[in-house]
Amino acid sequence: RGGRGASRVHAASARPAAPPSAPASRRPWRRRGFMAAVRAAPKRQVATIGPGADLKSASLVGNTRLTPAQRIEAATSTRREVTITDVQAWDAEALFRKYDPERTQLLTRGALTELLKEIGLDKRLGASFAASSRLAFDAHSADAHFLTITEFKQLYYKISTWYPNLLPREMSLDITIFSAKDLPATDANGKSDPFCTVMCVRTDSSGKIIEEKKWSKSTTRVVEKTLNPWWGEDFSDKYGYEEGDSLLFLIWDWDKGDKSELVGKVLLPSSEFHRPGGFFAWLPIQVLCGDIPKGATPSLKLRVAVRGMPTPPPRLMVTIHSAANLPAADSNGKSDPFCVFQIVGKPASKSQTKVCFKTLAPVWGETFSGKYRYEDGDDLIFEVRDYDGKNAKPELLGRCILPNAAFAKMGGFHGDLALQDVYGGHKARREDLRPFLRLTATLRDMMPPPGEESQAAAGVAAAGTDAAVTDTAPSQGAAAGAGGVASGDGDAASSPPPLAAQP
């Protein structure tokens, strides 16, 4: 009938008919209009790309047309996603960081060649190493000029798969954080929720930190509501340690929903653990917040060892055999004694025996080495203490010092030492007790030959300077002679300082 009516008819006929079974509420053109119908239309099927795929179907991916090079790559290569371990990731990042000193996050062709030489790939490939290095760079670099960290990790994964004895490398440090004690209270309940972190740091000659290697940081778990946490967790340096670096331990208080609060810190210099035997001792904590209970000494127990460091046998060997005539410190007329041994002035050398319960004549028979801390001229100090429970301070039963001249000789020292500063609870009887400690202290390079050992021991006994070790308790004269060895070398021996007061 006219153009206007014809157009209206044509538009109506162009509208797609709804399926007979579809309710009116599910018809998209009536609910959201024409765009909803377009979105509901079937999508283009994307061809699967890979070996054997049709190149004609692979020429379109979605609405993007591939270049001839991309089509060839899609038809001749496969892609797969792999997962590398944490150790592999740490090693790859450490290698990349070492050969990217300007922190550009890019690795040059020459830097990759030097990196592959460091891990020993040149020795495995021989004459083909130069060509293999160039091919490896070209195969993984997107622009043929640099390698990014992601591209290098792809190459790292392939090398570690083909040569598992080359990668990952061995880490440098074994770190164990055991526990802490006497921490300050930072919460309203009089407790804390402590956890500890450790990382490698660089320091100057004065001990001031000049660089923190935060990528080497490790963290323990949180122990809630305690001032004496136990962690017992093992860590590594995450390839961040270089000889001369120190270790920084930070103790934090965890607060739910709030930022953790720094409680204290401990700095362990490299000279303390980069040595045969490593480091294994308590270290005092520098408290930064909170109140320290009176008489408490916040401390952190650690063990650090350098892997691959040769461990020769220790030079000093000390055997604590037994003690006798000890004073009674408990109400039952007995004591629960144990002995603490340390090189004078070196708290990291401290060791102690087991506890012998309800006895005045304990027998230990334990041997110690001084944890590789002995040097020429060092004296040895021994303290016998009474154990009164886990949270109670042990009482001193007696102490003695073994001068260096008494054991730094051929054959060492074998005998008894009279204990001084005897437990004061029995002042009326301590003069009659005459307690003593029986021990052996020798230097490995001053041991007599096996055939002459018995003769040397007999000569020591005949000289009268040391009391010989026997199966029975010594007489009063022998004990007095042993006391002369302990106190005849000056005022320091007659009044030895307590272990807790030493630096």
Side-chain angles (χ1 to χ4, degrees), residues 191-421:
K191 301 291 184 179
S192 295
D193 305 317
F195 67 94
C196 184
T197 63
V198 56
M199 65 178 168
C200 301
V201 297
R202 290 179 57 200
T203 58
D204 57 14
S205 57
S206 63
K208 182 181 179 181
I209 298 175
I210 57 178
E211 181 186 1
E212 295 182 351
K213 299 183 178 181
K214 296 187 178 181
W215 60 86
S216 65
K217 183 178 179 180
S218 299
T219 305
T220 68
R221 68 182 189 277
V222 177
V223 182
E224 299 184 8
K225 300 178 181 180
T226 181
L227 300 180
N228 301 283
W230 168 265
W231 295 293
E233 298 185 40
D234 297 323
F235 302 100
S236 67
D237 61 304
K238 297 183 180 180
Y239 300 96
Y241 175 74
E242 297 177 343
E243 187 173 354
D245 288 349
S246 301
L247 292 179
L248 178 64
F249 297 86
L250 300 177
I251 297 90
W252 301 81
D253 174 60
W254 176 76
D255 292 323
K256 185 176 181 180
D258 198 358
K259 186 177 180 180
S260 299
E261 187 177 7
L262 182 59
V263 177
K265 66 178 182 179
V266 173
L267 185 64
L268 182 63
S270 176
S271 58
E272 288 292 330
F273 61 85
H274 199 103
R275 56 191 299 171
F279 179 88
F280 182 28
W282 288 90
L283 279 177
I285 298 175
Q286 181 183 350
V287 177
L288 302 177
C289 75
D291 297 328
I292 304 175
K294 185 177 180 180
T297 304
S299 305
L300 183 66
K301 187 176 183 180
L302 307 168
R303 179 170 60 194
V304 182
V306 180
R307 294 184 184 181
M309 170 95 40
T311 307
R315 187 185 180 198
L316 173 67
M317 299 299 296
V318 176
T319 301
I320 303 176
H321 297 286
S322 60
N325 302 333
L326 296 179
D330 299 337
S331 58
N332 58 4
K334 302 291 184 179
S335 295
D336 304 318
F338 66 95
C339 185
V340 181
F341 152 70
Q342 177 185 315
I343 299 174
V344 174
K346 298 181 178 179
S349 66
K350 184 185 295 186
S351 302
Q352 72 178 44
T353 67
K354 62 185 178 182
V355 178
C356 294
F357 293 96
K358 298 180 181 180
T359 180
L360 301 180
V363 177
W364 296 294
E366 299 184 40
T367 302
F368 305 97
S369 64
K371 301 178 181 179
Y372 294 88
R373 275 1 189 224
Y374 174 77
E375 296 176 339
D376 290 337
D378 287 345
D379 298 333
L380 311 180
I381 184 171
F382 302 85
E383 288 187 354
V384 181
R385 291 185 172 272
D386 176 63
Y387 177 76
D388 288 328
K390 183 177 180 180
N391 297 323
K393 184 178 180 180
E395 297 177 294
L396 178 65
L397 300 180
R399 64 164 61 97
C400 59
I401 279 185
L402 181 62
N404 182 266
F407 66 90
K409 59 184 180 181
M410 186 61 66
F413 173 84
H414 309 268
D416 303 331
L417 289 179
L419 294 179
Q420 304 171 19
D421 298 334

Side-chain angles (χ1 to χ4, degrees), residues 477-490:
V485 174
S487 59
D489 284 355

Side-chain angles (χ1 to χ4, degrees), residues 109-150:
R109 187 184 298 270
L112 177 65
T113 302
E114 295 300 322
L115 186 153
L116 297 179
K117 288 182 179 179
E118 179 179 340
I119 64 177
L121 191 60
D122 57 335
K123 297 179 181 179
R124 294 297 303 270
L125 298 181
S128 63
F129 169 75
S132 300
S133 176
R134 291 193 297 268
L135 289 174
F137 187 92
D138 293 335
H140 293 84
S141 175
D143 59 0
H145 295 288
F146 301 99
L147 275 181
T148 64
I149 181 62
T150 303

